[in-house]
């Protein structure tokens, strides 16, 4: 089921949040604000129709001020069937101010992106990039589904760009997935970061059991969590080396030397250990010498010898 906030998310238009000025409206307004932020929206302004003299705007002002979101207040709407034209006329300046804020917000958004174009290369050290020869900078304002929203510095516009590699294979379910964003926000609010040695918490426990009962079924008995693919390969190598020697009552101290069988033309990541089990290439040949304890196994291939 898609909610309205999900339907419009791909556009990522600046939002004017209409808050609740009634009793209970503080919680309702703050909850709506946080829901929009979790989904990746920019809230440009909040409008509150105050009622019953509750001054809800004053109550939420500390939070909105911290976020840089202005609040515009209006008097109560007259009860039906009284005409609304006088109420609209009375608040004409407020509506004009909201429109001005929207234009100002969007202009500032584009200005920040344009300014970043000239300054980013002075502060970033990009991976897999020859900085003297790089072919141009993509200024990414946001991402949703399979596309980036990029800034065109010539036209001063925001335009879609297809993320062909799913951001190095990490976004198979698409960018800005609302279900994942909510789960991550919940977990961050519940735990923050919890050190893992000799600790257990529910998300890790549930994921471990699911992995053991699915992809690890019939061969895995425990789950070891690492933080990225390159590090995971190094962890696996370290475990394999240690177990091999321990099972045979040997150690590096007695001169034991292990040989690694690695796939030819492979790539496992950019940390030192995994670069050492990849054949010399443009990615690693200038970084360090390749270990002499590697055996390269060619990728199995099949060639058709008969025409069909």
């Amino acid at each position: 089921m898609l909610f309205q906030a999900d339907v419009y998310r791909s556009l990522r238009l600046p939002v004017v949040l209409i808050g609740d000025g009634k009793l209970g409206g503080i919680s309702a307004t703050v909850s709506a604000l946080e829901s929009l932020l979790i989904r990746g929206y920019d809230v440009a302004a909040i409008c509150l129709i105050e009622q019953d003299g509750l001054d809800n705007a004053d109550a939420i002002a500390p939070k909105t001020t911290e976020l840089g979101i202005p609040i515009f207040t209006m008097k109560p709407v007259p009860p039906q069937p009284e005409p609304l034209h006088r109420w609209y006329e009375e608040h004409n300046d407020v509506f004009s101010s909201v429109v001005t804020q929207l234009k100002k917000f969007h202009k500032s958004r584009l200005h920040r992106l344009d300014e970043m174009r000239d300054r980013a290369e002075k502060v970033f050290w990009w991976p897999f990039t020859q900085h003297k020869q790089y072919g141009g900078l993509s200024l990414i304002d946001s991402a949703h589904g399979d596309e980036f929203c990029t800034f065109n510095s010539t036209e001063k516009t925001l335009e879609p760009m297809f993320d062909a590699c799913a951001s190095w294979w990490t976004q198979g379910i698409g960018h800005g997935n609302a279900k994942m964003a909510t789960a991550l926000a919940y977990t961050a609010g519940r735990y923050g970061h919890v050190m893992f040695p000799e600790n257990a918490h529910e998300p890790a426990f549930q994921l471990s059991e699911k992995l053991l009962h699915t992809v690890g079924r019939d061969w895995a008995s425990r789950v070891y969590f690492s933080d990225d693919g390159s590090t995971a390969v190094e962890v696996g190598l370290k475990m394999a080396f240690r177990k091999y020697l321990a099972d045979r009552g040997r150690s590096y101290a007695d001169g034991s030397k292990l040989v690694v069988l690695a796939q030819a033309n492979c790539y496992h990541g950019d940390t030192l250990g995994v670069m050492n089990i990849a054949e010399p290439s443009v990615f690693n040949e200038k970084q360090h010498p390749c270990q002499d304890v590697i055996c390269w196994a060619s990728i199995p291939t099949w060639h058709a010898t008969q025409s069909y």
Side-chain angles (χ1 to χ4, degrees):
M1 178 180 179
L2 292 177
F3 296 102
Q4 188 179 54
D6 300 317
V7 173
Y8 291 116
R9 171 58 183 84
S10 60
L11 301 175
R12 215 178 84 86
L13 300 171
V15 173
V16 176
L17 173 60
I18 308 302
D20 191 343
K22 297 182 293 186
L23 183 65
I26 296 173
S27 296
T29 303
V30 172
S31 295
L33 172 62
E34 292 179 344
S35 179
L36 289 167
L37 295 177
I38 288 172
R39 279 175 163 79
Y41 281 97
D42 285 333
V43 179
I46 296 176
C47 289
L48 270 176
I49 301 176
E50 295 284 18
Q51 298 186 42
D52 305 324
L54 296 176
D55 294 327
N56 286 359
D58 290 340
I60 66 173
K63 184 174 185 65
T64 59
T65 300
E66 180 183 342
L67 296 171
I69 303 173
I71 302 175
F72 298 90
T73 58
M74 303 176 187
K75 296 179 181 179
V77 177
Q80 293 182 340
E82 186 175 335
L84 294 178
H85 66 275
R86 290 184 180 177
W87 183 86
Y88 281 115
E89 291 173 354
E90 184 179 355
H91 293 90
N92 185 62
D93 290 344
V94 177
F95 288 120
S96 296
S97 297
V98 172
V99 172
T100 300
Q101 168 61 16
L102 277 173
K103 292 179 179 178
K104 177 183 176 182
F105 182 90
H106 185 63
K107 184 178 180 180
S108 175
R109 175 184 178 185
L110 298 183
H111 175 73
R112 293 195 306 271
L113 290 166
D114 198 24
E115 187 180 49
M116 187 167 61
R117 176 176 57 87
D118 298 324
R119 298 168 60 184
E121 65 180 43
K122 298 177 182 178
V123 298
F124 288 139
W125 189 348
W126 289 298
F128 306 108
T129 303
Q130 173 49 257
H131 285 65
K132 293 181 179 180
Q133 301 176 3
Y134 82 97
L137 180 64
S138 295
L139 294 166
I140 300 175
D141 174 73
S142 61
H144 185 263
D146 296 327
E147 293 182 328
F148 297 128
C149 178
T150 61
F151 177 67
N152 185 322
S153 56
T154 302
E155 301 294 333
K156 310 299 182 187
T157 55
L158 296 172
E159 301 175 355
M161 175 189 289
F162 182 63
D163 182 9
C165 70
S167 286
W168 281 345
W169 323 289
T170 63
Q171 301 297 308
I173 62 173
H175 294 278
N177 182 278
K179 184 177 180 180
M180 177 175 285
T182 303
L184 291 172
Y186 165 71
T187 304
R190 181 178 176 183
Y191 296 103
H193 174 73
V194 177
M195 59 182 290
F196 205 45
E198 300 182 43
N199 289 325
H201 51 74
E202 195 171 31
F205 175 73
Q206 291 177 346
L207 177 59
S208 297
E209 286 203 324
K210 186 172 184 178
L211 290 171
L212 292 174
H213 293 155
T214 53
V215 295
R217 188 174 182 178
D218 298 330
W219 67 270
S221 59
R222 293 175 184 267
V223 175
Y224 187 98
F225 288 100
S226 184
D227 53 351
D228 58 71
S230 179
T231 308
V233 174
E234 292 210 17
V235 169
L237 287 170
K238 183 175 68 173
M239 289 179 171
F241 295 160
R242 183 72 185 93
K243 177 172 173 51
Y244 182 87
L245 293 175
D247 286 351
R248 290 157 179 77
R250 297 163 59 183
S251 70
Y252 294 113
D254 60 22
S256 295
K257 193 174 184 180
L258 301 180
V259 176
V260 177
L261 178 64
Q263 178 180 303
N265 299 314
C266 61
Y267 174 78
H268 303 294
D270 207 32
T271 52
L272 187 63
V274 295
M275 290 181 78
N276 248 343
I277 58 164
E279 285 185 298
S281 69
V282 67
F283 292 107
N284 63 5
E285 60 186 2
K286 295 182 179 180
Q287 302 300 322
H288 54 82
C290 187
Q291 294 279 6
D292 59 357
V293 291
I294 310 293
C295 289
W296 307 111
S298 299
I299 302 173
T301 57
W302 177 80
H303 298 280
T305 58
Q306 181 177 350
S307 300
Y308 294 94

